Structures are given as C-alpha cells and as structure tokens.
DNA sequence: GCCCTTTGATTACAAGTGTAGTCATATTGT
DNA sequence: ACAATATGACTACACTTGTAATCAAAGGGC
C-alpha cells in the first residue's frame, strides 16, 4: 500500500487540506488563489490525482465531494526530512542544521528551542535506560 | 542564470562527481554500477541533461569529455535543506530536528554534536555583537 | 588495413507533471 | 421553465524524467 509520491503542485493542495478538512474543491481553489494563479480546473485535476494516489479520501456531499487527507502532515514531513537527511547529509542531523544555520543563521530563539529539545531528548534517553 | 532543477537520477550522477572530478562518463558509469543497474547509455543521457541544465561543465579530453560540477555539493545541500525547511517546517530548524529525532532517535553522538554546534553558534553571535 | 569498441549526438518512448479544456448533468436564480 | 453556473468525468498536450537504442565517427588490436 506504499503511498505514491506527491508532486510539488499537489503538495500545495495538501497544505490547504492539512490546515482544514474536509473541504470541497471550490473552497480549496479559493484559498489557493491567494498564492497560485490556478484555474479551478487545475485544482480539480490535482485533487483527482491525489485521490488516485491514495493521499486523499472523499465523501459525497450532495452532488460534490469533500476531500480530506489520508496521510498526516506529520508523517509526510517526517518522511521528507528523513529522505533529505539520508540523501544529502548521510542521515546525520548535525550537518543538516549546520547548513541551515549557515547563510541564514539561527535566531537566538531557534538556538534556545534547539537546546531545550536536546535536553528533553537526553532526559528521554535516561528514562529508556532503566 | 537560475539553475534548473536536478532530478533524483541526475543527483546520483552529481554525487559521483562531487566525490571526484573531473571524470569521463565511463568512470562515472563504472562507479554508479555499484548501486544502480544502469546502462552506460543511461548515464550518458543524464550527463547530457546535467550539462544542458548548467549543472556540469565539460572539457574535451581527446575524443571524450571530462565532466565536473558547476555547483558545489555544499550549495546544493544548503538550498535543498532550505527549501524543505521553508516548505514543511516554516523555516524553523527545531521542528525539523524534532521530526528527525522522532522515530529514528538521535544517537548520543548526534546530540553531543548538536550541542557543540549550538555553543559555537552562540559564541559567534557574541563575536558579532562587539 | 580492417574489424571491434568507445564515445558523442540524436532519437525513442512510456510515465509523471503542470496546466487546463470539453462534455454532460445537476442546481439555482428569476 | 429556462438560462447561467457549478460540478464531476474525461480528455489534452507540452515538458520532464527514467531508461535506453541507433547512428556515425574515431581509435585501437592484430
């Protein structure tokens, strides 16, 4: 049942549905219109393809459909992060963060957040120990 | 001169050239043969496309070409990390790392590395201050 | 000198993607 | 009731990607 790959354009549609769901195509198209200049037909094509790919479920609502994600943003994001990290950073988080830091720089807040995350992770590690 | 998108298969070719360059197609194909079962024709197609995309330069060496990357792995990796981070994590490093941590878990070494990176970043911040 | 191999150039071709258009039907406003 | 509109199903079509094959010229082995 391995989920097929979601394309760039399709991902934009997923984002709208991850923010709220279920929604009919018309609403999705309206929200997307802010960023992309897509004809509603285009949005509908993308929706159909996502349904084919088992990324969305549909429920009938009168003569139209309501769409909802079948994969969570969490899972998708995790997979994408994993893939990138494996592919370009040998699966290590540090070089990835280092690359992000370079050029853009991490804010003080980012650094504080990361430190907190790390201390939480260490605490977990200890718990698993015994 | 915006660099065109490098595809998955093309990226594998880039990896070989990032490890060593310049190289002729035959060498590249031989090295790739370890992972992918690609006909040398396939490798040559990918090389041509990468040249078209301005991702590789060529220099004549007798009757063949030597290929070399026009973008560094560093830059490419940074851009990819940036894109993913912007697209799925609102540009923040922390949720990205958190996602990586979840499910796979960061090793003690990863955590130590990250802590070192963070303290280096803080030191830099101080230096910039004055 | 001639055949086999290597190489670049060109071409192939199906699947996936971006971006719609057409057609038939159901719905709604007047 | 009828025209304009919305909607789903299907179709279109150029471009990209994965994965080669063909063709012609150039070199290399014997």
């Amino acid at each position: 049942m391995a989920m097929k790959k979601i394309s760039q354009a399709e991902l934009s549609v997923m984002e709208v549905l991850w923010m709220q769901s279920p929604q009919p195509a018309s609403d999705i198209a309206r929200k997307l219109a802010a960023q992309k200049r897509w004809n509603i037909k285009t949005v509908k094509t993308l929706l159909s393809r996502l349904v084919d790919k088992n990324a969305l479920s549909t429920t009938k609502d009168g003569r139209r459909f309501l769409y909802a994600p079948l994969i969570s943003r969490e899972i998708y994001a995790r997979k994408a992060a994993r893939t990138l990290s494996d592919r370009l950073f040998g699966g290590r988080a540090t070089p990835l963060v280092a690359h992000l830091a370079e050029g853009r720089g991490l804010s003080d807040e980012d650094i504080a957040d990361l430190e907190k995350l790390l201390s939480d992770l260490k605490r977990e590690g200890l718990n698993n120990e015994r």
Side-chain angles (χ1 to χ4, degrees), chain A:
Chain A
M1 206 67 63
M3 251 280 308
K4 294 207 67 181
K5 204 173 165 327
I6 293 173
S7 80
Q8 277 300 298
E10 287 160 2
L11 187 57
S12 305
V13 172
M14 292 301 290
E15 289 285 0
V16 173
L17 280 163
W18 277 325
M19 291 184 35
Q20 190 191 338
S21 75
Q23 289 186 75
S26 51
D27 287 14
I28 298 168
R30 193 154 9 82
K31 285 173 190 165
L32 280 169
Q35 283 85 24
K36 322 271 184 175
R37 343 184 109 283
W38 279 343
N39 190 297
I40 187 169
K41 301 299 190 173
T42 301
V43 175
K44 289 192 181 192
T45 299
L46 295 174
L47 285 168
S48 301
R49 288 180 183 168
L50 285 167
V51 170
D52 284 352
K53 289 180 182 182
N54 290 310
L56 295 181
S57 68
T58 55
T59 51
K60 259 214 149 61
D61 172 42
R63 77 198 193 82
R64 67 186 186 176
F65 287 123
L66 299 183
Y67 297 88
L70 279 176
I71 11 128
S72 74
R73 191 174 195 287
E74 296 302 307
I75 301 282
Y76 181 84
R78 170 139 67 244
K79 240 172 240 165
R82 195 73 54 86
T83 300
L84 178 77
S85 156
D86 288 351
R87 187 135 194 82
L88 283 173
F89 301 95
R92 310 296 309 281
T94 307
L96 208 177
V97 174
H99 269 80
L100 281 177
E102 237 170 292
R104 174 159 54 194
L106 299 187
S107 68
D108 290 353
E109 207 194 336
D110 285 326
I111 293 180
D113 286 351
L114 274 172
E115 277 175 338
K116 174 152 187 346
L117 172 64
L118 290 181
S119 71
D120 288 355
L121 285 174
K122 278 200 289 197
R123 200 178 328 284
E124 271 180 46
L126 287 183
N127 285 344
N128 290 345
E129 219 50 39
R130 53 181 158 80

